[in-house]
Amino acid sequence: MMARVHIVGAGLAGLSAAVELADGREVLIHEAAPQAGGRCRSYFDSSLNMTIDNGNHLLLSGNDSALAYARKIGGDRKLAGPDEAVFDFCDIERRECWRLRPNAGRLPWWILAPERRVPHTAGLDYAALAKLLFARRDQTLRPFIGSGDLARKLWDPIFVSALNTDPSEASAFLAAAIVRETFARGGEACRPLVAVEGLSAAFVDPALDFLRKQGGQVRFGAKLRAIQFAGDRVSALDFGEEIVQLGGQDKVVLAVPPLVAVALVPGLKAPLEFRAIVNAHFAFPAPKNLPLLTGVIGAASEWLFGFSDRLSVTISAAERFLATPREDLARAIWDEVQAVAGFEAPLPAWQIIKEKRATFAATPEQDALRPFAETQWRNLAMAGDWTQTGLPATIEGAIRSGATAAGLCSG
């Protein structure tokens, strides 16, 4: 009988593990929710009468694991972005807009070209970022990027969105990992990519189709209540009404949120401090002159996504807005959207999504609590963007963690 791998959790980490293992092993995914994708999914919103993403996500062309996964399942065709590394920014407070254009090669000559860098900055201002690549795990980000004009206009928007943590407490080590895999590799590795037809269309639905074609199974509404251990193995999975006994060669990938994992696995340490993200969606087509992605400075809004059927805004490290009434927040963000896009219009149909525990807090202390994929039980592996991937909680980290767990189950 073919060895079976039970994957608990159908978020991107679990789907990634399943896709890696489907060729050669029997794969069975158990998901507590009625749908796959976790935080990275799309759903139909009746108040907007359209399909939107649970939260806006941005990829970069240097996200090798995520793009390899997308290509394998056929979801890469659903990703769109400019042919070169281009980032548009608009400073509402100072009424100034510009375009950042890193050159394609590794030698960053773009910092010497005024038309390619942030206005009113000099090439030497960017040199301090090289020191970040040598950051220790116990160091925070702010001392490396400073608090001047360049930090306000560029580093803060980039790192707050990547780490979902304020630079004053964020891990410099995790920030360096982002730089090392993108900007340090040149513009070819930092082209922005967006799932223009929705996250599910790019990362979830094609994965489910791929797995079904490979004979994989997905059980929705299957909440794992307990894990039974026998010596150095997982012996059974308790789903309440059903207890699944594991064969001698069967493996388990636990790809659930950290709060769930620590309740299931004895002695597991995990990051249990979180940061919020707020997303706003407006049923208003993007003006033709609006870029697909715009960084917003001097405002509550941080990134504006211009889709064909809607305008969407993401605010990271958004704890300060959790108590703000949703309608007040929608009106304030809509005013900022109009200022960036250059039009005036009444507030359209809107949706505000507040995720209180969107990601683990990317601080040195919480990063130190992240467990590795390998566990003391020889048939149990961990996966999730909160495990020790070397990256903050990103799509790239989640997918990479799934591939790592799959590797442990292949032996």
Side-chain angles (χ1 to χ4, degrees):
M1 180 180 294
M2 183 183 296
R4 171 178 284 186
V5 180
H6 294 271
I7 298 175
V8 183
L12 285 193
L15 290 175
S16 170
V19 166
E20 289 294 317
L21 290 164
D23 184 13
R25 286 180 177 267
E26 184 181 354
V27 172
L28 177 57
I29 301 178
H30 309 269
E31 170 56 51
Q35 73 285 314
R39 287 189 59 244
C40 184
R41 64 179 176 86
S42 310
Y43 74 97
F44 181 80
D45 189 278
S46 57
S47 63
L48 297 175
N49 195 33
M50 66 177 62
T51 297
I52 62 174
D53 292 330
N54 187 50
N56 300 309
H57 290 266
L58 171 71
L59 266 73
L60 295 177
S61 52
N63 294 152
D64 296 335
S65 297
L67 293 180
Y69 165 84
R71 284 191 295 270
K72 188 168 185 176
I73 63 175
D76 57 318
R77 298 186 295 271
K78 303 296 185 178
L79 299 174
D83 294 332
E84 61 175 340
V86 174
F87 297 88
D88 289 276
F89 289 89
C90 183
D91 189 334
I92 292 179
E93 193 173 57
R94 300 180 185 177
R95 298 183 180 181
E96 183 178 34
C97 296
W98 67 91
R99 174 171 284 185
L100 189 79
R101 294 175 55 225
N103 60 282
R106 287 179 178 268
L107 185 65
W109 57 260
W110 64 272
I111 65 175
L112 304 177
E115 71 278 5
R116 285 179 171 264
R117 64 183 187 235
V118 176
H120 316 302
T121 63
L124 287 177
D125 295 338
Y126 299 80
L129 196 64
K131 298 179 182 178
L132 179 62
L133 299 178
F134 302 95
R136 301 190 310 269
R137 283 190 176 273
D138 62 342
Q139 292 180 293
T140 55
L141 178 58
R142 179 61 72 194
F144 290 92
I145 62 175
S147 56
D149 206 38
L150 184 59
R152 176 183 177 275
K153 290 182 173 180
L154 182 61
W155 301 135
D156 281 7
I158 288 176
F159 288 122
V160 170
S161 62
L163 301 166
N164 194 32
T165 305
D166 188 272
S168 63
E169 60 174 357
S171 165
F173 183 84
L174 293 178
I178 295 291
V179 173
R180 193 173 291 112
E181 297 193 8
T182 55
F183 281 95
R185 292 167 57 188
E188 279 298 317
C190 49
R191 288 184 294 107
L193 296 168
V194 177
V196 291
E197 296 181 28
L199 293 167
S200 289
F203 296 106
V204 181
D205 296 340
L208 296 176
D209 290 341
F210 177 91
L211 291 171
R212 291 189 184 106
K213 291 176 182 177
Q214 296 289 329
Q217 301 177 57
V218 183
R219 298 175 60 225
F220 294 112
K223 182 178 181 180
L224 183 61
R225 307 289 179 174
I227 300 176
Q228 296 179 12
F229 299 91
D232 63 351
R233 295 182 65 256
V234 172
S235 59
L237 301 175
D238 182 354
F239 291 96
E241 296 182 356
E242 178 187 15
I243 295 179
V244 178
Q245 301 292 334
L246 269 63
Q249 299 301 313
D250 291 351
K251 304 289 180 71
V252 177
V253 174
L254 191 61
V256 296
L259 286 170
V260 177
V262 296
L264 292 169
V265 180
L268 180 69
K269 292 184 178 180
L272 298 177
E273 185 179 331
F274 304 93
R275 294 293 180 266
I277 293 178
V278 170
N279 287 279
H281 303 275
F282 302 95
F284 194 99
K288 292 183 178 180
N289 63 336
L290 184 70
L292 180 58
L293 179 71
T294 304
V296 185
I297 313 299
S301 304
E302 292 177 351
W303 293 95
L304 170 61
F305 293 76
F307 296 107
S308 60
D309 60 349
R310 69 191 185 279
L311 294 168
S312 296
V313 166
T314 294
I315 306 172
S316 300
E319 290 73 26
R320 63 197 185 281
F321 295 116
L322 292 178
T324 305
R326 295 171 69 253
E327 184 167 354
D328 292 349
L329 195 53
R331 292 188 180 279
I333 294 174
W334 182 243
D335 287 344
E336 295 173 351
V337 168
Q338 293 178 84
V340 172
F343 65 80
E344 294 184 6
L347 178 67
W350 55 270
Q351 181 60 273
I352 297 289
I353 302 174
K354 298 180 180 180
E355 296 180 274
K356 185 177 180 180
R357 296 187 178 92
T359 70
F360 75 89
T363 64
E365 295 78 16
Q366 292 298 300
D367 182 46
L369 295 173
R370 299 166 75 183
F372 288 97
E374 188 172 9
T375 72
Q376 68 188 78
W377 296 278
R378 57 188 176 88
N379 63 341
L380 174 64
M382 307 294 299
D385 61 11
W386 55 273
T387 61
Q388 194 55 260
T389 65
L391 294 171
T394 59
I395 287 178
E396 173 72 4
I399 290 174
R400 187 176 299 181
S401 77
T404 299
L408 292 173
C409 293
S410 296

